[in-house]
Amino acid sequence: MRVLTSDDAADIAALDRATCADYPRGAAVFHDPVDLEGARSLTERGAVHGVRTASGDLVAMTATRASGDLVETAFTAVHPAHRRRGLAAAVKAASVAAGVRAGHRLFGTGGAAVNAGSLAMNRSVGYI
């Protein structure tokens, strides 16, 4: 688990490509694909926490952005081959802990009603 930097932009974009089709779509639910420039922007304007395998593959990440007391999660992604192992909750919890250490007290996140896994993960981290 570590905070990713602009040096990780290619891996961030690749993991997003591997998971982009899994996001629910609707009028109020969407996920814009993250390209290389977008990945760099995520690391420079906010924080991206990630998990890598022992061989170095990025398999989970969550992107957040702070504004005042609020830290808002943009998205959380886990590679399909590494799901159901608690990695989403781990990166999300790491982002909350980092926000608390930085003095933030409010945390927001999405979660479409059709995505039961995401909702359960958010509840496990303490979101209501």
Side-chain angles (χ1 to χ4, degrees), residues 17-99:
R17 277 191 307 276
T19 62
C20 201
D22 298 332
Y23 288 92
R25 302 242 186 254
V29 179
F30 58 89
H31 174 74
D32 291 327
V34 177
D35 61 10
L36 196 56
E37 181 65 27
R40 284 189 190 105
S41 179
L42 287 171
T43 65
E44 293 166 359
R45 297 175 190 215
V48 181
H49 288 78
V51 172
R52 291 186 178 277
T53 64
S55 61
D57 297 325
L58 182 64
V59 295
M61 65 182 170
T62 193
T64 61
R65 192 169 200 187
S67 177
D69 279 347
L70 175 66
V71 175
E72 184 69 37
T73 301
F75 65 90
T76 301
V78 177
H79 190 281
H82 295 272
R83 291 184 180 155
R84 302 196 188 295
R85 298 178 188 176
L87 295 176
V91 292
K92 195 93 167 234
S95 73
V96 170

